[in-house]
Amino acid sequence: MYVIDSAIANRIVDRTMKIIGHNINVMNAQGVILGSGSNERIGSIHEGALLAISQNRNVEINQDIAPSLHGVKSGLNLPLHYQGQIVGVIGITGQPCELAQYGELLKMTAEMIVEQANLQDQLQWQNRQKEEFILQLIRDEDKDVDQLTHWGHQLGIDITVERVVAIIEIESVKQQQVHNNQALKQIVHLLQHPDRNNLIAMTSLNQLVILKPAYLNGKQWDPELESHRIDKLLKRIPANMELNLNISLGHFFIGIEGIAKSYRTAKETLAIGKSLNPESSKYLYEDYALQVIFTGLKQHWRGDALSAPYLKLVEADKNGVLQKTLSVYIQHIGDNKQCAEVLFIHRNTLRYRLDKIQQITGTNLQEFHHLLNLYLGQIMHQA
């Protein structure tokens, strides 16, 4: 059963007193005055309302009857109904004969306000439930699929739809937009219109998580197609919003259990992408896959062993020249001519640097597994 509270009562009072020049009282289903044009009456029991509730009828109270009832003045009291139940009473102070023409109009207005408030409460409750449902999906890999299926059905969500996770992080030029969630609300609106069956939830004051249908072409996961979709979203953001956005797209894993994994890869992709390419705004897992994968080896003896040779180079190479040289050497698969050209150095200088790298790291750059070890150490250092 829906219950009228003080906020709804005061809304009814404010709205209806603009219609007529009489005092309005709004009582709950127990006859307690919750809203009134006369503040001193709030909180008292209105016996006229109790009569209207108990008899489920309009109750007229004239000047002769009013003194015999507690907390009552002459006027008209009409029961308010919602879905066939009495939820309260609206009372109009004045002579009953003068108020008859207003009664049904005010009753209808009050009942419409109650209905709107209930629908709004239901929508807010459903939105909160959806957010909690989404947060459950991204945080817990060990899921009770049957329970989530039932929960999703209640919310109108088909959990059999394969999804991939994206994260949007907002940096607003106008900080007030961040504090009052205005920027996030605008982005959510863009994500929901047109409707693409996205599931959206806030994970912080400046971050959204989006569970996107993975099969945009209806057949298979296509990260390139999703990348184009992100580009279109960025172009749709009005310039006057003055927002800086960072968007990351995680890896796609099949099944509901894969959503939490996809979220974790999106989160790590965002952190690594911002670190390596802060000038960019779009970070795709496919572009940072190795860094994301090797993030899991950090602070683990396997990761320490893997990165040890490269960390020797980092320690010895204070100005970063040798690290850059190694990076270019790896990118060009050991082609000395191309490396020297890219670095704008003589081939003898390149040879000297490469010899220095080998001495410091204790590796042989001509041996594939040694070069691979340094490359993976570099990836670990960047992750």
Side-chain angles (χ1 to χ4, degrees), residues 14 47 49 81 91 115 150 153 166 191 236 240 301 345 362-363:
D14 292 342
E47 290 192 358
H81 298 85
E115 182 175 8
H150 178 67
H153 179 72
L191 290 168
R236 288 174 58 207
N240 60 7
W301 72 266
I345 59 176
T363 60

Side-chain angles (χ1 to χ4, degrees), residues 259-278:
I259 291 177
K261 297 177 184 176
S262 183
Y263 171 68
R264 191 163 67 248
T265 59
K267 191 175 179 180
E268 292 173 358
T269 297
L270 179 62
I272 293 169
K274 286 171 60 180
S275 174
L276 297 180
N277 296 298

Side-chain angles (χ1 to χ4, degrees), residues 43 58 115 133 211 221 234 240 245 257 279 295 301 333 363:
N58 297 347
E115 182 175 8
F133 178 76
L211 277 55
W221 164 239
L234 290 171
N240 60 7
L245 294 186
E257 299 87 352
E279 72 286 349
T295 295
W301 72 266
I333 319 176
T363 60

Side-chain angles (χ1 to χ4, degrees), residues 23 25 27 30-33 36 38 40-53 59-78 89-96 99:
N23 180 60
N25 300 310
M27 287 67 72
Q30 289 73 46
V32 179
I33 300 177
S36 175
S38 301
E40 68 276 4
R41 301 187 67 182
I42 294 176
S44 61
I45 299 291
H46 194 292
E47 290 192 358
L50 292 176
L51 282 173
I53 293 167
V59 174
E60 296 182 359
I61 299 175
N62 57 36
Q63 291 180 333
D64 297 330
I65 300 174
S68 63
L69 298 173
H70 176 72
V72 175
K73 294 182 179 180
S74 61
L76 180 62
N77 296 281
L78 304 97
V89 175
I90 184 168
I92 317 165
T93 303
Q95 294 301 318
L99 301 175

Side-chain angles (χ1 to χ4, degrees), residues 150-167:
H150 178 67
W151 190 3
H153 179 72
Q154 288 182 320
L155 297 172
I157 298 172
D158 182 0
I159 69 167
T160 64
V161 174
E162 299 289 357
R163 296 183 181 274
V164 63
V165 176
I167 294 174

Side-chain angles (χ1 to χ4, degrees), residues 226-238:
E226 191 63 61
S227 177
H228 292 322
R229 180 68 59 80
I230 292 173
D231 292 336
K232 290 180 180 179
L233 172 65
L234 290 171
K235 290 178 181 177
R236 288 174 58 207
I237 298 172

